[in-house]
Every structure is written in structure tokens, then in C-alpha cells.
């Protein structure tokens, strides 16, 4: 049964502002949902947000076949094309606003944030600039899918400011990126696999400024028909200092077994290399992964051959063979080939399917591209990798020491100590 979506949206001027500079779009036919928070005050923030939404929608509508192809065939090529489409739509809005401001002095300085959520089958591509946010509520846990492009968010990320300091900082609303304030802008994109029961919240900072991430599951628990309005009422009750906009998307559908998206996330979290990543960072890794199946007896990797792939077993069992002798078995949730992510060494063993096996595959090339784009993620991965190697070296040293002691004992020789 295909996924279906129920959407609701609401916006409010808030309790302090005279004009609502937020804009939003709910277009189920395109599968497109947008929240934009205009900025500039007298420099027409409301014009900026509305115009940006209209331009982005028109851009996607003219190229919607890209999303259709991705929904029908989620290949790496189609994934990249879908993410590029979302980024290009926001870039088109940025260039359009910049051109408007260049031709009309009254509009100088205007700009907007934007979260663009494009649905393609059982996947979505999220594009993001500024400090509006997208959340995924799954299994009673709220996962933030966007990172604020603000001075305080950057300071928290690089360790020069705590979250408590950020809450009271005078710079908390100062953006480092916005749509329209320059001719072009760096756009963050993220691919998300959707499962039945998922709820997405897309909102401006007028809402999330009053909500802690851990409060989101409580506020969205029952998903009433007027949840968007309730969230706005909540923000107004806590102060309503800014315009408030919320879009709520609830996905429904039947599945005979646990959705593969959940299985992949669980498997990834179980690997020491990835366990310290945030949900968004893990989603970055999942976005570059490919699912491959192998029949009973198939050699997934072969001893002596080159390889650059990490394999995570989603279903089934494999045998690890050295010189045609089975030395161990890896079960569902296990992984192998991680050294291929960092060097060009040939495979040290053969891995063979003991039954029908389904794997998640991550290549070194794709991993390096993500690490170049996300330096904080890269540092976390490298640190985890060093920790893993250190643990392996300690284990090997212990085993060598024990083997040496046993050898000396068998020969009746006292072990040498320095």
C-alpha cells in the first residue's frame, strides 16, 4: 500500500509584530511544502518570503519529472538529481530576490529563510537555508533534520558557546545564510526515507524559539486535526514575539514487516564508526548508501581483490573465509569491509552468503564527498575510526602477549621482561 499524507498548516502574526512576514506553501499535487520567514522589516520581508515561495514552487513544477523518476527508481543518479533540483529551486528564488532588490532601492536588504520539503514516493528531499526548521517525529523521538544557519548555532557547533549561553545571546537571531541577501547562497539538502507513522513539522523560528527539541513529541503526540493551530497557540502563550508558521505532515500506510528505513538506521547506530553521529548526520550517510541483495553461496567480497565498500548486513548471515577456510560468521546487524573506506588495500578475506543476504553498501568515494562537505561529521568519523584501531591494537597486543607466554611455558623458558 503506497504512503499517503495528511497535511495541515497555519500561520499567525504573533503577539508583538504588526505584519506577518512568514509565507508558506502546501501543494499535495506536487508533493511540495515550504516555509519561508521574511526579513528586512521596512525592506519588505513579506515580499521576500512570498516571492521566494512562488519562484521555488514554479521551478519545481517545471521539472517535477525529476522527482517522479526518483520516486519510481531511487538510484544514486536519481537521488543526486532530486537533491540538485531542490537546491536549484532555492537558488532560483535567491537570484530572483537579489535581482528585485538591485532594481528597486526600497527592497534593498530583503531576504528570507526557507525550508523546502519535496516528497518523492517513500522519500523526501529537504532543502534548507536560514533558521526555519524541519523535524521528523518517529517512534516518539523528535529528530531535527536541519541545522540553523545562525552565529550562535555555528558557535555551539565549534565549541565556543554553550546551548545555555545561546538562549540569552543577543546574536541568537543573526543569520549566517539567507535567501536573497546575496546573488547566490549555499543550500543544505538532506534525503529522508519515510515510513508509515512518520510526522514532519516544518516551522519558522516564531514556533521553535519557544520549544525545546524534547518537547516536540509531547506537543505532537495525538496529532489532532488542528495540531498546527495548537502549536501556534502554544507559541503565543509563551510570548509570541515573532510571526509563527507551522506545517504538519502525517504519513500513513500499511507494511507487512518493519520498514527498511528503520532497519538501516538501527544497523548504522550499531556500528562504532557511526554511533556518535546525530540523526541528521546519520541520515547524510544513509543517503549515500545503496541496498544490494546476494543469493545463497554468492561471494560478496573476494580475498585479494581491491575494494572500497563498507557492507552492513540488514538481513541474513555471511561466512568470512581465509584461504578457503571459514574463520567466523557475521549475522544481521554486523558489518565488514570498513578498511576499504580509508585505503586501497586488497581484501584480506572472502565473505560469502550463507543464505539470502540483504546489505547496505557505502562506498569510499561517496563517504569522502560527505566528509568534505561536512567537516564536523568528518572529525567525528575520524575520531571514531582512530578509537576503533586503538582498540584493535590493544586486543592484538594482548593476544600476542598471551601467545608468547604460552609458547615460553611450553618450551620451559622463562618469559623475557624488560
Amino acid at each position: 500500500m503506497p504512503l499517503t499524507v495528511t497535511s495541515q498548516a497555519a500561520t499567525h502574526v504573533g503577539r508583538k509584530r504588526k505584519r506577518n512576514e512568514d509565507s508558506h506553501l502546501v501543494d499535495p499535487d506536487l508533493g511540495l511544502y515550504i516555509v519561508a520567514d521574511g526579513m528586512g522589516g521596512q525592506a519588505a520581508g513579506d515580499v521576500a518570503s512570498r516571492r521566494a515561495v512562488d519562484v521555488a514552487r514554479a521551478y519545481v513544477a517545471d521539472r517535477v519529472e525529476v522527482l517522479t523518476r526518483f520516486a519510481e527508481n531511487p538510484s544514486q543518479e536519481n537521488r543526486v538529481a532530486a537533491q540538485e533540483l531542490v537546491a536549484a529551486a532555492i537558488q532560483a528564488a535567491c537570484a530572483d530576490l537579489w535581482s528585485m532588490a538591485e532594481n528597486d532601492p526600497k527592497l534593498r536588504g530583503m531576504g528570507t529563510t526557507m525550508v523546502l520539503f519535496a516528497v518523492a514516493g517513500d522519500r523526501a528531499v529537504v532543502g534548507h537555508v536560514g533558521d526555519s526548521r524541519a523535524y521528523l517525529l518517529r517512534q516518539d523521538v523528535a529528530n531535527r533534520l536541519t541545522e540553523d544557519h545562525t552565529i550562535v548555532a555555528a558557535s555551539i557547533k565549534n565549541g565556543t558557546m554553550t546551548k545555555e549561553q545561546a538562549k540569552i545571546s543577543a546574536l541568537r537571531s543573526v543569520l549566517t545564510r539567507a535567501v536573497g541577501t546575496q546573488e547566490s547562497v549555499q543550500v543544505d539538502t538532506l534525503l529522508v526515507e519515510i515510513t508509515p507513522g512518520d510526522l514532519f513539522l516544518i516551522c519558522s523560528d516564531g514556533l521553535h524559539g519557544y520549544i525545546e527539541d524534547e518537547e516536540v513529541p509531547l506537543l505532537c503526540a495525538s496529532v489532532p486535526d488542528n495540531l498546527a493551530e495548537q502549536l501556534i497557540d502554544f507559541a503565543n502563550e509563551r510570548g509570541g514575539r515573532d510571526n509563527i508558521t507551522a506545517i504538519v505532515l502525517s504519513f500513513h500506510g500499511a507494511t507487512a514487516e518493519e520498514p527498511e528505513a528503520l532497519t538501516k538506521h538501527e544497523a548504522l547506530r550499531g556500528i562504532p564508526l557511526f554511533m556518535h553521529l546525530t540523526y541528521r548526520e546519520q541520515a547524510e550517510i544513509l543517503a549515500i548508501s545503496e541496498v544490494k541483495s546476494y543469493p545463497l553461496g554468492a561471494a560478496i567480497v573476494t580475498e585479494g581483490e581491491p575494494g572500497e565498500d563498507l557492507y552492513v548486513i540488514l538481513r541474513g548471515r555471511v561466512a568470512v573465509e581465509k584461504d578457503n577456510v571459514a574463520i567466523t560468521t557475521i549475522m544481521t546487524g554486523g558489518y565488514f569491509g570498513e578498511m576499504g573506506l580509508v585505503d586501497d588495500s586488497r581484501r584480506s578475506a572472502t565473505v560469502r552468503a550463507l543464505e539470502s543476504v540483504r546489505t547496505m553498501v557505502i562506498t569510499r568515494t561517496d563517504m569522502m564527498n560527505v566528509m568534505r562537505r561536512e567537516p564536523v561529521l568528518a572529525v567525528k568519523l575520524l575520531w571514531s575510526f582512530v578509537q576503533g584501531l586503538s582498540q584493535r591494537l590493544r586486543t592484538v597486543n594482548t593476544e600476542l602477549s598471551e601467545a608468547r607466554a604460552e609458547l615460553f611455558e611450553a618450551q620451559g623458558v622463562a618469559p623475557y621482561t624488560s
Side-chain angles (χ1 to χ4, degrees):
M1 177 180 176
L3 286 171
T4 60
V5 59
T6 300
S7 62
Q8 45 179 293
T11 188
H12 194 274
V13 69
R15 298 176 61 185
K16 306 294 184 181
R17 300 294 178 88
K18 295 181 180 180
R19 184 173 60 198
N20 193 346
E21 297 185 332
D22 285 1
S23 296
H24 66 280
L25 173 75
V26 173
D27 191 333
D29 293 334
L30 280 179
L32 188 62
Y33 307 88
I34 303 175
V35 167
D37 179 359
M39 53 185 251
Q42 292 182 348
D46 54 338
V47 174
S49 63
R50 184 70 263 160
R51 177 69 178 180
V53 167
D54 290 343
V55 171
R57 183 205 174 281
Y59 191 94
V60 173
D62 288 343
R63 301 161 180 83
V64 71
E65 68 277 1
V66 175
L67 296 176
T68 302
R69 284 197 299 269
F70 181 46
E72 295 173 348
N73 177 21
S75 66
Q76 291 289 76
E77 179 182 359
N78 290 339
R79 171 187 64 80
V80 171
Q83 289 185 272
E84 289 179 346
L85 169 66
V86 166
I90 297 177
Q91 289 286 14
C94 185
D96 183 85
L97 293 187
W98 175 257
S99 177
M100 287 178 63
E102 287 288 286
N103 294 321
D104 186 347
K106 295 180 181 179
L107 302 179
R108 297 283 170 83
M110 73 174 180
T112 184
T113 70
M114 181 173 286
V115 175
L116 189 156
F117 189 97
V119 179
D122 59 357
R123 290 169 173 80
V125 181
V126 183
H128 167 239
V129 173
D131 64 349
S132 294
R133 291 182 184 174
Y135 293 88
L136 163 60
L137 181 63
R138 175 180 288 169
Q139 295 184 327
D140 298 324
V141 176
N143 305 287
R144 196 194 301 181
L145 302 180
T146 55
E147 293 182 349
D148 295 346
H149 300 142
T150 61
I151 289 178
V152 296
S155 299
I156 293 171
K157 195 170 184 177
N158 63 31
T160 59
M161 183 181 290
T162 66
K163 291 182 179 179
E164 289 69 27
Q165 291 171 330
K167 291 177 182 178
I168 60 175
S169 172
L171 302 176
R172 62 182 179 275
S173 297
V174 179
L175 300 179
T176 55
R177 293 187 220 169
V179 176
T181 55
Q182 300 290 332
E183 191 171 5
S184 63
V185 67
Q186 181 181 345
V187 180
D188 289 351
T189 63
L190 183 69
L191 175 67
V192 183
E193 295 188 43
I194 307 171
T195 67
D198 282 351
L199 181 144
F200 293 88
L201 170 63
I202 309 167
C203 63
S204 61
D205 67 334
L207 176 58
H208 71 68
Y210 290 108
I211 300 176
E212 300 293 338
D213 288 0
E214 57 269 20
E215 290 183 294
V216 175
L218 298 175
L219 294 170
C220 301
S222 60
V223 198
D225 293 340
N226 63 339
L227 177 57
E229 287 87 352
Q230 288 187 13
L231 292 171
I232 286 176
D233 290 343
F234 179 86
N236 274 324
E237 289 170 3
R238 288 196 170 182
R241 68 175 180 269
D242 201 352
N243 307 145
I244 314 162
T245 300
I247 296 177
V248 176
L249 305 175
S250 302
F251 286 86
H252 317 278
T255 179
E257 56 186 21
E258 184 177 39
E260 192 163 74
L262 299 180
T263 304
K264 290 164 67 176
H265 261 290
E266 287 299 323
L268 201 65
R269 279 196 292 265
I271 299 176
L273 183 61
F274 303 116
M275 64 189 304
H276 298 299
L277 302 184
T278 65
Y279 187 93
R280 188 189 188 284
E281 290 167 339
Q282 289 177 352
E284 290 265 17
I285 302 301
L286 290 178
I288 62 172
S289 70
E290 183 178 359
V291 175
K292 292 184 179 180
S293 297
Y294 298 89
L296 168 66
I300 302 173
V301 301
T302 302
E303 183 178 354
E305 291 188 356
E308 62 165 21
D309 300 335
L310 164 68
Y311 294 82
V312 182
I313 303 174
L314 300 177
R315 185 173 65 243
R317 297 178 302 131
V318 300
V320 180
E321 303 172 354
K322 184 73 173 176
D323 298 325
N324 296 318
V325 176
I327 56 177
T328 191
T329 300
I330 304 176
M331 313 291 286
T332 297
Y335 60 96
F336 56 92
E338 67 273 24
M339 292 303 296
L341 294 179
V342 294
D343 65 26
D344 294 318
S345 300
R346 295 181 180 275
R347 298 297 190 184
S348 60
T350 294
V351 179
R352 193 177 307 279
L354 292 176
E355 57 193 50
S356 178
V357 172
R358 193 163 176 82
T359 66
M360 178 173 63
V361 185
I362 302 169
T363 70
R364 185 195 319 138
T365 300
D366 289 335
M367 177 72 82
M368 291 302 171
N369 287 336
V370 171
M371 293 172 70
R372 292 188 190 99
R373 189 172 67 248
E374 299 284 350
V376 173
L377 182 152
V379 170
K380 290 181 180 180
L381 290 178
L382 291 174
W383 180 250
S384 295
F385 201 86
V386 169
Q387 286 183 313
L389 289 179
S390 177
Q391 180 60 45
R392 287 189 181 188
L393 285 173
R394 285 194 293 269
T395 300
V396 169
N397 281 335
T398 299
E399 291 174 347
L400 287 175
S401 296
E402 292 174 349
R404 185 176 64 175
E406 291 176 0
L407 177 62
F408 285 147
E409 183 179 353
Q411 295 176 341
V413 179
Y416 169 77
T417 57
S418 56

